Amino acid sequence: MTVRLLFLAILGMLLAASPAAAQASGCSGFPPAKLDLETVLAPIQRDDALTIAQLTRLPGRTPGPVSAADSHVLGLTQARYGEQSQVSALFKTMGDGTYCASASALTISFGFQQRVVHVAREIPANSCLYGEVLAHEMRHVAVDEALLQEMMPQIRSQLDQVIAGMAPVRSRSQSQAMAAIRRPLESAMRRIMQDFGRERDRRQAQVDTVEEYERVSRVCNGEARNYLPKPATRRTVRQG
């Protein structure tokens, strides 16, 4: 999920030009842009209202090492991550009637905007299996939190480099000026989101292993068999 809010310091009709052309034509003298980077970690919500069948069919979940058609989902952790950004700009009137524009402040929040942990409704809350499934799901939560904490300094460093390379633009159109100002930021955030997603998938896959699924199917004296949909064939139990 990505939300971008754009703010103008002043309004006006602004000739799109490259930053280099803007600098060469006297479009300078702006203060450096400031970065405010915030980490977002939404509180964990608990939802034990969905059945094993409903969790298994839930759209958007990753299949894990065992195909969804051959498994039952006893627990699932859903997490939505993304960024929100606000860009403020300063404008300066030039002698030929055009305007110079430069970013003055970038406010960016990045992280997990929603987190929901599910344990299937069939599993009694005071049972041995419930504790095992919940503990597995909390490992997913811990992986997300550790990854976010680890990557935020890297994200700040990347954004600092982007801001250092941002130069004023000259334009007749307000929308073109803001598009030119935010273009390097949007490009950087796409790379950051892709890198974060790939690394998150890699680390979460280390939690959802075939061995872990088999362990949960045997733990608590095989209690999982009591809650699988009937007829209970030789299908693998899993968590998400």
Side-chain angles (χ1 to χ4, degrees), residues 149-206:
Q149 182 179 13
E150 178 181 323
M151 290 198 68
M152 284 306 289
Q154 302 175 34
I155 293 172
R156 175 175 290 278
S157 178
Q158 293 178 57
L159 293 175
D160 283 339
Q161 292 179 25
V162 171
I163 292 175
M166 294 174 71
V169 297
R170 193 165 183 173
S171 179
R172 298 186 188 278
S173 165
Q174 170 183 315
S175 60
Q176 288 178 340
M178 289 304 297
I181 288 172
R182 70 175 182 260
R183 192 172 297 122
L185 173 64
E186 292 179 338
S187 178
M189 290 310 305
R190 282 194 297 270
R191 292 193 301 271
I192 288 169
M193 289 281 288
Q194 291 169 357
D195 291 345
F196 187 88
R198 282 194 294 266
E199 181 61 16
R200 180 174 184 263
D201 288 346
R202 187 188 71 81
R203 296 191 186 191
Q204 292 293 2
Q206 295 174 352

Side-chain angles (χ1 to χ4, degrees), residues 100-122:
C100 283
S102 180
S104 60
L106 294 85
T107 302
I108 300 172
S109 60
F110 182 87
F112 290 94
Q113 299 155 340
Q114 184 179 35
R115 301 189 294 168
V116 184
V117 173
H118 302 269
V119 176
R121 186 171 71 196
E122 292 91 338

Side-chain angles (χ1 to χ4, degrees), residues 57-63 76 78:
R57 295 193 303 265
L58 207 61
R61 64 182 182 84
T62 56
L76 185 68
Q78 295 179 299

